[in-house]
Each structure stands twice: as C-alpha cells, then as structure tokens.
Amino acid sequence: MASLDSIQALLKDQRGVPPISDWHPELSGDIDIVIKADGRWIHEGGEIKRHELVKLFASILRREQDGHYYLVTPVEKWRLQVEEFPLMIVDFEVGGSADSPRIAVKTNVDSWFELGSEHPLCVDTQADSKEPIPSVLTRHGLVAKVNRACFYRLVELAENEAGAIVLHAGGESFELGSSQ
C-alpha cells in the first residue's frame, strides 16, 4: 500500500498535458492508425513498438462528440480507429486511510488518474456473457479499460454491501458487480 504522499507524487510528477481542448483545426483526414482491443497501436499494418512514440500520440488523442477519435495538433486533426478502448489501466496504487481510501490508476501510456468524481470507475457487462467490462474515464473524452488483473485486485479491496460489491475511493462509491 502506498502512502498518501506517494499517491500525490504519482499524480503531480507527470509531464504537462498538451492543451488539446483548445485546439480546433479542420479535419485533415483519416490516418491509418488502429488502436487494437489489447492496447497495441498499429500504423499501416505494423505495430508501433516505441513506447515513447505511443505515449506522444496518446497525449494528443481525444474523443469528440461524434464518437470518433482524433489525433490533434494546433494545425492538424487526423481521425483514427479504436477497436474497443483507446487506453488500458495496467496498475494502481492505494493510499489514504481506511476511512478515506485513495486509489491512483496507471494507464498503459504511464498516465496516472485518481479514482473519484472526476475519474469514475464504471462497470458495464457484456450482453451475451454478462462478463464485466470495467473502465475509467480519463481525460479528453477517453475511457481506459481496466485489465483483468487490476479488476480482480480492485474487487479484493471492495466490500459486500446489500448484495453489491462496492469499492470506496476518492470520496465516491463504485459498484463493481453483484455478490449474489
């Protein structure tokens, strides 16, 4: 378990985020980039393997009201494809106290977000299998899927409340599923 100070450090020690919400260029077109369901970025059929390059692209990625994803700079806007979610939650740290727990989640592009009202944890279910699909709202309309290992660890931290599995973090309560 991380200390409250280390949670604060994780959240503050991140590089600045480009102000893409202030950038509104005209659509430049479609770019042959696909973010696969497993989090890999594919450009023209080949995987982008340089992690720093994926992080750079992710820093200028947003989802707009039309439901499409775009890479945005001050002068260009390129639409790309996302199979499921553009980001993945791959780790987390727990801090705070039993009365006021805090959880910071880490994406596959090394960004940290604290679970709470600004970055809620949501759990939908697949219609056919009823399997949980946990996700966290990050920034710029982007949602990160919580990987299976992290989700199971979060369930271990949760409590059974009136037949529901509930996780408390950041002053909020997140229902992870049913205990029935």
Side-chain angles (χ1 to χ4, degrees):
M1 179 183 274
S3 72
L4 184 57
D5 290 339
S6 63
I7 296 280
Q8 285 299 111
L10 289 173
L11 297 171
K12 286 187 175 184
D13 289 344
Q14 300 185 82
R15 289 179 106 181
V17 178
I20 67 172
S21 57
D22 297 336
W23 300 341
H24 303 286
E26 292 295 317
L27 180 64
S28 302
D30 293 321
I31 190 168
D32 188 7
I33 293 179
V34 178
I35 303 174
K36 305 296 275 181
D38 63 7
R40 291 178 301 130
W41 288 58
I42 307 298
H43 178 248
E44 296 179 349
E47 181 178 355
I48 301 172
K49 294 188 179 197
R50 287 185 48 217
H51 184 64
E52 291 302 317
L53 185 56
V54 170
K55 286 172 55 172
L56 173 66
F57 283 145
S59 75
I60 59 169
L61 179 66
R62 74 176 175 216
R63 185 174 189 191
E64 294 189 354
Q65 295 294 330
D66 63 6
H68 291 282
Y69 295 88
Y70 300 91
L71 294 175
V72 182
T73 72
V75 296
E76 294 180 301
K77 177 177 165 180
W78 294 94
R79 183 174 33 232
L80 65 132
Q81 299 299 311
V82 175
E83 286 187 347
E84 188 178 17
F85 292 89
L87 302 170
M88 301 276 292
I89 300 298
V90 297
D91 199 5
F92 67 87
E93 293 288 336
V94 179
S97 65
D99 295 343
S100 184
R102 295 176 70 184
I103 299 174
V105 295
K106 179 184 177 183
T107 68
N108 58 319
V109 292
D110 302 329
S111 296
W112 289 89
F113 300 93
E114 183 176 358
L115 294 183
S117 60
E118 188 176 348
H119 304 291
L121 171 64
C122 302
V123 181
D124 293 322
T125 55
Q126 290 183 349
D128 53 349
S129 68
K130 303 296 184 214
E131 186 173 329
I133 305 169
S135 62
V136 175
L137 178 63
T138 62
R139 65 170 75 94
H140 305 301
L142 303 179
V143 177
K145 182 177 182 179
V146 179
N147 74 15
R148 188 178 304 264
C150 287
F151 183 62
Y152 288 155
R153 288 177 48 216
L154 290 170
V155 168
E156 288 177 0
L157 296 174
E159 301 171 4
N160 186 348
E161 295 181 5
I165 301 168
V166 178
L167 178 70
H168 299 281
E172 300 290 324
S173 298
F174 305 105
E175 188 170 330
L176 305 183
S178 172
S179 62
Q180 312 262 339

